[in-house]
Amino acid sequence: MRAARLIRLVLLLQAQRSLTAAELAAELEVSERTVARDVQALSEAGVPVYADRGRTGGYRLIGGYRTRLTGLGRTEAEALFLSGVPAALRQMGLADTASAARLKVSAALLPDLADAQDTAAQRFHLDAPGWWQEPPTPPLLPALADAVWDDRTVAVRYRRRDGEVERELEPYGLVLKAGVWYLAARAAGRRGPAPGTGFRVYRVDRCTAVTPGEERFRRDPEFDLPAFWARQAADFARSLLRETVTLRLTDRGARWLHRVTDRTAAREALDAAEPDGRGGVTLTLAVESAEVACTQLLSLGAECEVLAPAELRERFRETAARMAALYG
């Protein structure tokens, strides 16, 4: 543990011209006294760490010293590709690994490129969760992430509407969608009728127990996580659209339709729309339910008229009457 911390300390000093004891302590998550002891140990081992005294002093490497301990390990290299998603790294337990990888890359850069990581970090940042929500981190996510990295089977207890079930899975990948984690996996020892098939999606926060297995599985070379997720997401969104409504939209309402409902459904409906003879269009839109459609389409105001079903049109009429009474 201390050896890893000493390496990080050297890499930090190599990436920065000078760091105070407080700054090093914060980066290494230790006390300033521990930093002083670590610096002394490095000096005794021949690493030229120099301490500048005074209020603006700090520690620095002298003589242009550069360590050769900058070779990336496999885990560090893989984690580096995720370093633009810091919250996701923390949730999967990979923050320290990615930090070490970034330090090694910084230490290997030429002096005139040393600010590259700061330049990029100040220009690009990914904040995955949606607005107005702080989804909790699933407690079993790190265990699943370890199994995904290691291609190791897991025994999972999973909560469904009808109770809990137990599954032995081959965990292929994790997906973070709008702040919610999903696991792409296949039943252990089973294969689909064709390469790259037989996979299902599980919500990580519904896993109540995860036990890593002793065996590792051989990954299906045909499995493509981004392509698989794109298909699953599209199929899921389409499966929710079980009802249809008939609308008359003004030109503005047609332009705004994709903002309030499923984009694909809106595009398909507009492609098949017919002119209403008044500058607008009449179309049939796939929706999740009349209740959801009411909430969504009311935001279009007078740019949208519901023609069918009659129940939804009546709900709009009642809402309009209440609004008129409220505002006079």
Side-chain angles (χ1 to χ4, degrees), residues 1 3 15 49 59 84 100 111 120 131 153 169 185 202 221 261-262 265 268 281 323:
M1 192 72 171
V49 182
Y59 295 103
W131 289 103
T153 60
L169 302 175
Y202 302 84
T261 188
D262 181 84
E268 293 177 351
V281 293
M323 291 285 286

Side-chain angles (χ1 to χ4, degrees), residues 242-275:
R242 303 184 182 93
E243 300 182 19
T244 60
V245 297
T246 304
L247 311 174
R248 180 183 291 120
L249 299 175
T250 65
D251 181 62
R252 180 180 294 178
R255 294 198 308 270
W256 288 356
L257 184 62
H258 71 279
R259 300 182 183 180
V260 301
T261 188
D262 181 84
R263 288 177 174 267
T264 301
R267 184 176 63 252
E268 293 177 351
L270 288 169
D271 288 344
E274 297 181 358

